[in-house]
Amino acid sequence: MAAAEATDARRAAVLGSPITHSLSPALHRAAYEALGLTGWTYDRFEVDEEALPAFVDALGAQWAGLSLTMPLKRAVIPLLDEISETAASVEAVNTLVLTEDGRRVGDNTDIPGMVAALRERGVEQVESAAILGAGATASSALAALSRICAGEIVAYVRSEARAAEMRQWGARLDVDVRIADWADAADALRFPLVVATTPAGATDALAPSVPERPATLFDVLYDPWPTELAARWSMFGGAVVSGLDLLVHQAVLQVEQMTGRAPAPVEAMRTAGEHALSARRQSP
């Protein structure tokens, strides 16, 4: 699925709505600089579902690809010539690569990005895992866990509607997922791997329940950071994987696909992301 070989002037961008918060430009531009791709540019564009088809149709030969965030990950699928098995498994595309012959190929780098972020912290396989939440990110988490979890996966959810969604994703991914009530979410913290996919503040009340010897927490948030749960987890000596780790590793795969260059410079991209977040927090 590699893009054409790097040329002097190529374009890429991230699309979504809202998009001003995106760290993708910082990550991709840092990669281009480290790889010596001086003619490559990476921008951000505010694009909603209605405007997406026209934007994609207008892409010229200089375009290498697009990163896609909400609400475009599903909306882009009908516009593609090909979609990877990974993206099809969760009906979500976050990467569009334009091939030399102009074909539009969609992939999902969030799932292997999660696996890579965990592997970086020494988590290759676990016997069981828990997911906190059941939104869009939870389906990607379930798909990632299907690759590394040998046993039970338990999803803690707030409503029967969310429970039904997780059961459907489990069936689609051929994963045996057990549903538990959010009222019992503190029980999740004793699993070998906990993946928190909830919005900011949703897990704060769980922080006092962190066990004395926690294992690994993957909290998909990165701003604000650390979350109360992640801070207490670290204080007790547990391993913590952050949303920035996920963002970096999914972007690494995007850079490799769009530029045809591998490996992408992980540390340069991470440093750029950290600096961008620091600048954001310091700005009034």
Side-chain angles (χ1 to χ4, degrees):
M1 191 183 293
E5 284 298 315
T7 59
D8 290 338
R10 299 300 303 276
R11 296 189 68 185
V14 59
L15 313 183
S17 183
I19 199 62
T20 55
H21 68 285
S22 177
L23 293 180
S24 292
L27 303 182
H28 285 251
R29 290 169 185 169
Y32 298 163
E33 181 177 359
L35 292 170
L37 300 175
T38 56
W40 283 63
T41 60
Y42 189 100
D43 302 299
R44 63 165 68 90
F45 293 95
E46 181 83 15
V47 177
D48 59 17
E49 293 165 288
E50 183 179 355
L52 181 62
F55 190 100
V56 172
D57 286 342
L59 297 176
Q62 77 275 27
W63 281 87
L66 300 172
S67 306
L68 300 158
T69 187
M70 299 304 291
L72 307 179
K73 293 184 178 183
R74 183 169 295 180
V76 74
I77 293 176
L79 309 177
L80 302 173
D81 298 305
E82 180 183 335
I83 183 173
S84 70
E85 290 185 12
T86 300
S89 71
V90 291
E91 296 182 347
V93 167
N94 77 329
T95 307
L96 189 161
V97 175
L98 296 166
T99 63
E100 286 183 325
D101 57 2
R103 299 177 71 251
R104 305 166 183 170
V105 180
D107 194 15
N108 184 308
T109 64
D110 287 331
I111 295 167
M114 285 185 177
V115 174
L118 286 164
R119 184 183 301 120
E120 185 178 50
R121 302 303 173 88
V123 181
E124 299 275 355
Q125 188 174 44
V126 292
E127 291 303 313
S128 59
I131 299 174
L132 297 174
T137 306
S139 62
S140 293
L142 189 59
L145 289 175
S146 72
R147 303 183 178 193
I148 66 169
C149 185
E152 183 180 52
I153 299 174
V154 182
Y156 290 81
V157 304
R158 293 184 182 274
S159 68
E160 181 52 41
R162 290 297 197 185
E165 289 180 18
M166 287 302 286
R167 291 190 189 97
Q168 290 174 358
W169 284 118
R172 183 183 181 94
L173 295 164
D174 196 24
V175 176
D176 185 16
V177 56
R178 179 166 66 84
I179 306 300
D181 192 281
W182 184 263
D184 300 320
D187 295 341
L189 308 186
R190 299 188 179 279
F191 277 73
L193 173 61
V194 182
V195 184
T197 69
T198 50
T203 61
D204 288 356
L206 298 177
S209 299
V210 172
E212 290 187 3
R213 295 182 179 179
T216 301
L217 171 69
F218 193 156
D219 194 324
V220 303
L221 294 174
Y222 60 84
D223 190 20
W225 186 262
T227 62
E228 289 191 25
L229 181 62
R232 190 167 181 87
W233 200 277
S234 294
M235 184 176 71
F236 278 48
V240 175
V241 184
S242 74
L244 181 60
D245 295 319
L246 168 59
L247 197 63
V248 167
H249 281 283
Q250 64 83 29
V252 161
L253 297 169
Q254 289 184 335
V255 167
E256 292 175 353
Q257 290 188 27
M258 293 181 193
T259 67
R261 301 285 188 89
V266 177
E267 290 310 316
M269 295 170 71
R270 192 195 316 276
T271 299
E274 291 171 345
H275 287 169
L277 276 176
S278 178
R280 177 185 300 178
R281 291 163 184 159
Q282 292 173 10
S283 65

